Every structure is written in C-alpha cells, then in structure tokens.
C-alpha cells in the first residue's frame, strides 16, 4: 500500500514539472512575439504616415486651385487695365495677390484671359520654359488664340500716330525685303525677327529664303531635298559669304645683295595680302597688295573701286561628286580708257607690242576654319591665260601651288551691309 502511494506521488510530481515547462514555453513564445512586434512598424505609425500623405495631397490640391483662381483674377485685372478701368483692375490685382503673392511671376499676363484658356486649363510660363521644337508654329498658334483677326504686332504704349501693325502684310514683307537688300543681309533679317512674335513669323517667310537661295545657287537649287526648308538650305549648304572679305596673308624671307666690302648680306622680310570680295550677282574682286587690311577693306565695298591693281571678274559655285563645294573665278584687269590721238602719236613705238588680253583663272575649295562654318578657301588651281587679239591664239600658264598660296579666311565687315541700295 505504501508502495502504491509512493508511486502516485511520483507521478504527481512529474505532472507538475511538465506543466511548469509548458508555462515557461508559453511565456517564452509570448516574449518572442512581443519582441518581434516591437521591431516591426506598428499599425498606428503606418496609419499616421498615410494620414500625413493624404494631408499633403489635399494641401497641394488646394494650392493648385488657389493658383488657378489667382491666375484668372490676375488676367482679368490685366484686361480691365487695358480697357482703361484702373480701379477695377486694382481690385482684381489685390484679390489675386492675396491668394498667391507671387502670381505675377507664374503666369504670362501679356494675353487676355480667354486666350490662355484651352479646354478649361491655362497655359502658363512653366509649360514653355523648356526648348520649343517648332517656335514658328507656337507663335502662330498664340496669335490665332488672341484674336480671330491677328495683327503682326501691337504697340506697347498708346500712340496717336499710325503704328506699323496697321500696315498690310504685303507692305511689311516688302520692308523685310529691303532689310535683306540685294546684298543678301540675312543676318539683319534674323536680328529683326527678335523684335516680336509677328516679326519672327514674317522673318521665316519661305518666299524670302527661297529668293535668297536662288540668288546664291541659281538653277542648282530647284529641289529642296534633303533640307526641310529654304532657310535651312541657306544656313547649312556650303556657300561663299557676301557680308565681308576673304583675306590671305603671305610672308617669306628673301635674301638680299651682298655689301660692297663683302662683310654682310641683307635679308628682307616680305609680306603681302590677297583679297577676295564676292557679290551676290556673281561678280568678284581680287586684289594683291602689301597694304594693310585696315586701309584696303573699306575700299572694296563696291565694284566701282579706283584701285589700279584690282582684278574684276565673275565666279560660280560647283558641287562635285565628292560632295565638296568649289569656287571657280575668272578675273582680269579693268579696261583702261583709250588714250587720245595725241598721246598715242607721242609715245608710240615703231614696233608696238602685240595687243593681248590677260585673264587669271582661280579655283578654290570651301572648307571650315575655326569656329565659323565654311569660312576658309583653299587654293586648288591658279593659271594665267594670254589671248593675242591679232591671231586669236591663247597661251595658258599654270602656276605651281606652293607654300606661297596660303588659304583665304573670311572676315565680316559691318559697313558692307550698312546701307540697302535695292530690295531682295
């Protein structure tokens, strides 16, 4: 009996120990779960961050709504001010700036309100801050939105005299052709396009650029391909420039004669210049002289120069199969007036030299030099043709193109295009 009680007590003790182990395991698992929950972000924190994002989104929506309302009020004020209602304009200005203090710098207020609203949205400056691929189309769209009968430009201030915007478009285009002039001063046309949007549109008129291309290349520019526009052809296709002069400087050392006593020999530093001046009508002037460009360049403005050593002639552009543009020119001396009968009898010789005409054939290759595009002319040919009038015989002498034939570099001269003699 005693043995049975002892066995029962042992079993009870074992059960108590097992329950204690189970409780300890439960406590340990509960501790682990609490520890893991502390490591993870609580649901309350995530709810707080979500509410913050919602609040920020709501605030941004309110700011956009306020900015749109301020834009509408500000443009209304601009319209009232243009109509002469100054007090009404001040009221709307104040209401707009109370909503958005810097609304003046966020919108383009040079247009009336109805012009900027497209399908309920406003066109703001932020939309056009980046580069606009087709600025011409963008300006045309702006002028169309402003009025059903758009003007080229509008006066900034009220004037009593007639403004240039009152002229018909045909008259304005004729004025633009005078700006370009027969000298093809396309640089002045580009500067004129910076005045306003309307002038920008007029300066991109394809007929002006087509006329300029025809003056430069003639029958060789009947097709626009591969260029997208006549303006692109004029700016990118290789050509000679007419708003300046091409200058070539040559210098070398020449040995002089020995002194009488034979102790020393002089050396001379020789320096001279070659000048080429092209004109849009196909004429060219060539001059070789030791005079400095500062003295010579102003005298080459027109073909009617009085310099005796100048050579006059014609040139043409040629684009070979190797896609290189070359310039070929034929120049000769100016024909002098025949001497009077008295002078001929006075200075005549018994055996006068046969009369002959001298002409020089020049070939040049267009290439890029420095930062300017196609501003360099390199020699490829130079020869002298002598034609005897009595027999009609022509003798050709080709010159070797050595280091004395230095390339020409273009220099722009502002005075060449300062005056317009004829329209384009």
């Amino acid at each position: 009996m005693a043995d049975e009680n002892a066995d029962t007590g042992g079993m009870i003790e074992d059960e108590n120990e097992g329950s204690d182990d189970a409780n300890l395991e439960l406590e340990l698992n509960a501790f682990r779960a609490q520890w893991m929950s502390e490591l993870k972000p609580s649901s309350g924190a995530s709810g707080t961050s979500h509410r913050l994002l919602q609040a920020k989104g709501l605030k941004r929506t309110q700011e956009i709504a306020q900015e749109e309302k301020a834009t509408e009020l500000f443009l209304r004020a601009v319209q009232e001010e243009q109509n002469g209602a100054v007090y009404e304009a001040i009221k709307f200005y104040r209401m707009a700036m109370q909503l958005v203090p810097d609304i003046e710098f966020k919108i383009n207020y040079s247009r009336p309100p109805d012009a900027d609203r497209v399908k309920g949205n406003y066109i703001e400056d932020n939309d056009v801050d980046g580069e606009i691929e087709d600025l011409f189309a963008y300006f045309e769209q702006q002028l169309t939105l402003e009025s059903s009968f758009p003007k080229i430009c509008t006066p900034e201030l009220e004037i009593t005299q007639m403004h240039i915007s009152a002229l018909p478009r045909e008259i304005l285009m004729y004025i633009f052709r005078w700006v370009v002039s027969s000298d093809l001063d396309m640089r002045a046309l580009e500067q004129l396009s910076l005045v306003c949007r309307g002038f920008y549109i007029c300066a991109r008129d394809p007929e002006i650029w087509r006329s300029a291309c025809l003056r430069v290349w003639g029958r060789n520019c009947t097709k626009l391909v591969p260029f997208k526009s006549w303006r692109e052809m004029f700016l990118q296709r290789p050509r000679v420039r007419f708003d300046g002069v091409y200058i070539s400087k040559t210098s070398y050392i020449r040995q002089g004669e020995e002194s009488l006593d034979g102790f020393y020999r002089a050396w001379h530093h020789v320096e001279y210049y070659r000048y080429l001046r092209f004109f849009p009508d196909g004429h060219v002037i060539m001059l070789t002289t030791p005079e400095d460009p500062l003295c010579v360049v102003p005298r080459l403005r027109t073909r009617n120069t009085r310099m005796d050593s100048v050579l006059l002639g014609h040139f043409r552009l040629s684009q070979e199969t190797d896609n290189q543009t070359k310039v070929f020119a034929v120049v000769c001396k100016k024909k002098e007036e025949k001497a009077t009968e008295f002078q001929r009898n006075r200075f005549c010789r018994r055996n006068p030299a046969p009369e002959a005409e001298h002409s020089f054939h020049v070939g040049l290759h267009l290439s890029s030099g420095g930062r300017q595009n196609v501003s360099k002319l390199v020699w490829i040919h130079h020869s002298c043709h002598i034609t005897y009038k009595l027999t009609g015989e022509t003798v050709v002498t080709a010159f070797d193109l050595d280091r004395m034939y230095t390339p020409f570099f273009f220099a722009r001269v502002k005075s060449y295009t300062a005056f317009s003699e004829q329209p384009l």
Side-chain angles (χ1 to χ4, degrees), residues 181-302:
S181 75
S182 57
D183 295 327
L184 296 185
D185 187 10
M186 311 308 290
R187 183 187 182 93
L189 182 66
E190 293 290 285
Q191 291 176 339
L192 186 61
S193 68
L194 302 177
V195 174
C196 63
R197 293 173 298 176
F199 279 20
Y200 184 92
I201 294 174
C202 291
R204 295 300 188 274
D205 183 68
E207 191 59 33
I208 291 181
W209 292 95
R210 179 178 177 273
S211 300
C213 292
L214 289 174
R215 288 290 303 275
V216 176
W217 293 285
R219 295 175 297 176
N220 295 327
C221 72
T222 55
K223 295 182 180 180
L224 194 58
V225 179
F227 304 100
K228 298 179 181 179
S229 63
W230 294 106
R231 179 175 179 272
E232 183 180 344
M233 174 189 286
F234 188 88
L235 296 178
Q236 296 185 8
R237 187 174 177 179
R239 58 180 175 82
V240 294
R241 296 183 57 176
F242 311 115
D243 56 344
V245 61
Y246 290 86
I247 303 175
S248 171
K249 179 180 179 181
T250 304
S251 60
Y252 63 94
I253 303 296
R254 182 175 63 83
Q255 183 178 356
E257 296 181 358
E258 189 177 0
S259 62
L260 295 178
D261 51 11
F263 282 105
Y264 68 92
R265 181 184 297 273
W267 293 84
H268 305 281
H269 179 261
V270 181
E271 186 176 274
Y272 63 92
Y273 299 87
R274 289 189 180 99
Y275 300 90
L276 271 177
R277 168 85 162 99
F278 296 97
F279 295 89
D281 57 358
H283 286 84
V284 62
I285 294 177
M286 187 173 181
L287 176 64
T288 303
T289 177
E291 294 187 47
D292 190 80
L294 192 63
C295 302
V296 177
V297 168
R299 302 163 69 180
L300 298 178
R301 185 180 181 276
T302 62

Side-chain angles (χ1 to χ4, degrees), residues 216 240 278 282 314-320 326-330:
V216 176
V240 294
F278 296 97
H314 295 80
F315 77 94
R316 65 179 178 89
L317 294 175
S318 174
Q319 191 165 6
E320 305 294 338
K326 299 177 182 178
V327 185
F328 296 99
V330 179

Side-chain angles (χ1 to χ4, degrees), residues 61-346:
T61 305
Q62 292 176 352
E63 289 178 354
I64 294 175
Q66 285 184 352
E67 189 169 325
E68 289 182 355
K69 183 64 176 177
T71 301
E72 184 178 357
L73 292 172
F74 198 92
L75 294 175
R76 177 72 181 278
V78 172
Q79 188 178 19
E80 294 291 344
E81 185 179 1
Q82 291 177 350
N83 294 335
V86 180
Y87 294 104
E88 291 293 326
I90 293 175
K91 180 180 69 174
F92 287 114
Y93 278 136
R94 184 182 294 111
M95 293 170 62
M97 297 185 71
Q98 285 176 352
L99 292 175
V100 181
D102 57 344
I103 188 63
E104 178 183 3
F105 305 101
K106 291 186 176 181
I107 64 173
N108 187 356
Y109 54 88
S110 62
R111 300 186 297 240
D114 296 334
D116 290 336
R117 187 184 293 270
V118 181
K119 295 183 181 179
N121 296 326
Y122 280 93
I123 302 174
E124 300 186 0
D125 281 343
N126 296 333
D127 298 332
V128 294
D129 283 343
E131 293 187 2
I132 300 175
E133 295 182 359
D134 194 352
L135 195 60
F136 177 79
Y138 174 73
F139 283 161
E140 278 194 331
Q141 181 183 9
Q142 280 190 320
L143 291 177
T144 305
L145 289 173
E146 287 183 4
S147 175
S148 57
F149 300 98
K151 292 184 176 181
I152 295 299
C153 57
T154 55
E156 183 179 4
L157 303 174
E158 294 185 2
I159 56 176
T160 57
Q161 300 177 349
M162 178 176 291
H163 192 255
I164 192 172
S165 60
L167 296 176
R169 188 185 180 94
E170 293 77 11
I171 302 298
L172 281 174
M173 297 310 303
Y174 186 69
I175 295 175
F176 274 59
R177 287 180 175 272
W178 267 101
V179 172
V180 176
S181 75
S182 57
D183 295 327
L184 296 185
D185 187 10
M186 311 308 290
R187 183 187 182 93
L189 182 66
E190 293 290 285
Q191 291 176 339
L192 186 61
S193 68
L194 302 177
V195 174
C196 63
R197 293 173 298 176
F199 279 20
Y200 184 92
I201 294 174
C202 291
R204 295 300 188 274
D205 183 68
E207 191 59 33
I208 291 181
W209 292 95
R210 179 178 177 273
S211 300
C213 292
L214 289 174
R215 288 290 303 275
V216 176
W217 293 285
R219 295 175 297 176
N220 295 327
C221 72
T222 55
K223 295 182 180 180
L224 194 58
V225 179
F227 304 100
K228 298 179 181 179
S229 63
W230 294 106
R231 179 175 179 272
E232 183 180 344
M233 174 189 286
F234 188 88
L235 296 178
Q236 296 185 8
R237 187 174 177 179
R239 58 180 175 82
V240 294
R241 296 183 57 176
F242 311 115
D243 56 344
V245 61
Y246 290 86
I247 303 175
S248 171
K249 179 180 179 181
T250 304
S251 60
Y252 63 94
I253 303 296
R254 182 175 63 83
Q255 183 178 356
E257 296 181 358
E258 189 177 0
S259 62
L260 295 178
D261 51 11
F263 282 105
Y264 68 92
R265 181 184 297 273
W267 293 84
H268 305 281
H269 179 261
V270 181
E271 186 176 274
Y272 63 92
Y273 299 87
R274 289 189 180 99
Y275 300 90
L276 271 177
R277 168 85 162 99
F278 296 97
F279 295 89
D281 57 358
H283 286 84
V284 62
I285 294 177
M286 187 173 181
L287 176 64
T288 303
T289 177
E291 294 187 47
D292 190 80
L294 192 63
C295 302
V296 177
V297 168
R299 302 163 69 180
L300 298 178
R301 185 180 181 276
T302 62
R303 300 193 304 270
N304 301 324
T305 179
R306 296 185 178 181
M307 303 180 70
D308 296 332
S309 57
V310 72
L311 300 177
L312 302 176
H314 295 80
F315 77 94
R316 65 179 178 89
L317 294 175
S318 174
Q319 191 165 6
E320 305 294 338
T321 56
D322 54 358
N323 204 23
Q324 292 184 352
T325 303
K326 299 177 182 178
V327 185
F328 296 99
V330 179
V331 293
C332 59
K333 290 197 67 175
K334 294 190 300 182
K335 294 182 179 180
E336 300 178 355
E337 297 180 359
K338 294 183 179 181
T340 60
E341 188 69 23
F342 171 77
Q343 291 175 336
R344 286 206 306 269
N345 295 334
R346 182 180 179 183

